[in-house]
Amino acid sequence: MGGQSSSTQTQQSQTQPWQPAQPMLQGILSQLSSGLNNTGLTSAESGALDVLKQNAAQGNPYASGIGGYAQSLLGGGNALAQAPAVQTNLQTLQGQLAPYANGSVIGNNSALAAQLAQIQNDVGTSINGQFAAAGRDFSGANQMAYGRGVAAAEAPVIAAQYNQDVQNQLAAANALYGAGNTTANLLGGMQQQYLANQGQGVTASQAALDANNYGANATLAEEAQRRGIPVQALGLLAQIGVPIAQLGQQSNGTSTTTQQMSGAEQFAKIAGGINSLLQPFSGSITNKFGSK
């Protein structure tokens, strides 16, 4: 014969691992408590922020200059200003070299004509003098000798001048070709610089906008610091105080225990219960029947 009995217990536990350090922690907490009253701006901080605010109100003193620079770059930065002068130089060179380049100067050299006249005179005087001395001036032989002498003397000069004129023509043509290429490169470089300046102008225009907005942005930044410094100070204090507040632990709980009873224990339990029930009647029975 068996039975069961159960019992319920309530337990409460508390841990205080930081209790030995409690005096030091109390000191830290007291300092944090006093620090809460000092999270506002100091006079130095407030003064510095006031200076920043005044400077911001004045704006960026270079804003107009930056804007003018950006506007100039967007207009090409005057990169093509010398283009007309370069083109004029080429046209002048073309005009000066054109007679040589087109060959119209070949055989048409006034200096050469004077030189040939001088040769003809010198050769003629020499030959005619020789024939006159011999009494044969104005003879057919005199005329033939005169012609051959002049031709022989002038031929090398004419040939040399022709070759020089041809060389001048080729040199003029090459010079015009080179000048044309140089002018084209110069104008192309100017145009590229014009476009590059415009690209830089786009970047500079943003800098100009930033300069115009400098005052407003600086004011916003100053006001953000004015609000942020106290909040930052509170955050630092919270980083110290909150972990300390979370130290220690306390718990409550209820537990129920069930035990298995033996037969003897159960019998004793029943007998004790019956005995407790009969005790009120024991006196009445004795009085009714009397004592022996």
Side-chain angles (χ1 to χ4, degrees):
M1 182 175 184
Q4 293 180 343
S5 65
S6 62
S7 62
T8 301
Q9 296 179 346
T10 300
Q11 297 178 343
Q12 183 176 5
S13 63
Q14 183 175 5
T15 60
Q16 295 179 332
W18 49 278
Q19 188 172 10
Q22 192 170 11
M24 180 183 66
L25 297 177
Q26 290 293 342
I28 294 175
L29 291 175
S30 64
Q31 293 183 23
L32 292 177
S33 178
S34 61
L36 291 174
N37 298 324
N38 297 322
T39 57
L41 295 173
T42 66
S43 59
E45 290 171 337
S46 180
L49 291 174
D50 289 340
V51 171
L52 291 176
K53 186 175 182 178
Q54 293 173 2
N55 293 339
Q58 296 176 1
N60 190 331
Y62 307 106
S64 60
I66 296 174
Y69 171 70
Q71 188 64 40
S72 175
L73 288 176
L74 288 173
N78 211 25
L80 300 179
Q82 298 303 319
V86 172
Q87 291 173 330
T88 299
N89 291 339
L90 176 62
Q91 292 171 357
T92 300
L93 180 63
Q94 288 173 336
Q96 293 173 346
L97 294 182
Y100 299 92
N102 60 27
S104 61
V105 176
I106 297 177
N108 188 22
N109 191 325
S110 59
L112 176 62
Q115 185 179 4
L116 293 177
Q118 184 64 44
I119 291 174
Q120 182 179 4
N121 182 66
D122 292 343
V123 172
T125 300
S126 176
I127 293 176
N128 290 335
Q130 293 176 7
F131 276 92
R136 299 177 59 194
D137 55 336
F138 301 109
S139 64
N142 185 185
Q143 297 298 321
M144 183 180 297
Y146 175 82
R148 288 179 178 179
V150 172
E154 291 183 345
V157 176
I158 294 174
Q161 187 61 51
Y162 175 82
N163 293 332
Q164 184 62 50
D165 290 343
V166 172
Q167 291 179 2
N168 291 341
Q169 180 185 18
L170 294 176
N174 289 330
L176 290 174
Y177 177 77
N181 288 338
T182 300
T183 301
N185 290 333
L186 288 174
L187 294 177
M190 291 178 181
Q191 184 64 41
Q192 291 301 317
Q193 186 61 48
Y194 180 89
L195 296 176
N197 288 345
Q198 286 184 319
Q200 293 179 2
V202 174
T203 303
S205 64
Q206 183 59 51
L209 291 176
D210 294 340
N212 288 330
N213 294 331
Y214 165 81
N217 288 331
T219 300
L220 291 175
E222 176 269 327
E223 291 299 325
Q225 291 187 65
R226 195 182 294 275
R227 290 196 306 269
I229 290 176
V231 173
Q232 183 180 9
L234 287 173
L236 293 175
L237 294 175
Q239 291 180 8
I240 300 175
V242 173
I244 293 177
Q246 293 176 344
L247 295 175
Q249 185 177 6
Q250 182 173 350
S251 62
N252 295 318
T254 302
S255 63
T256 301
T257 303
T258 302
Q259 297 180 346
Q260 185 71 34
M261 300 176 61
S262 64
E265 290 175 338
Q266 187 177 10
F267 179 79
K269 201 84 170 176
I270 295 174
I274 294 175
N275 184 44
S276 63
L277 291 175
L278 293 177
Q279 283 182 358
F281 299 100
S282 61
S284 301
I285 295 174
T286 303
N287 292 333
K288 183 176 180 179
F289 296 99
S291 62
K292 293 183 180 181

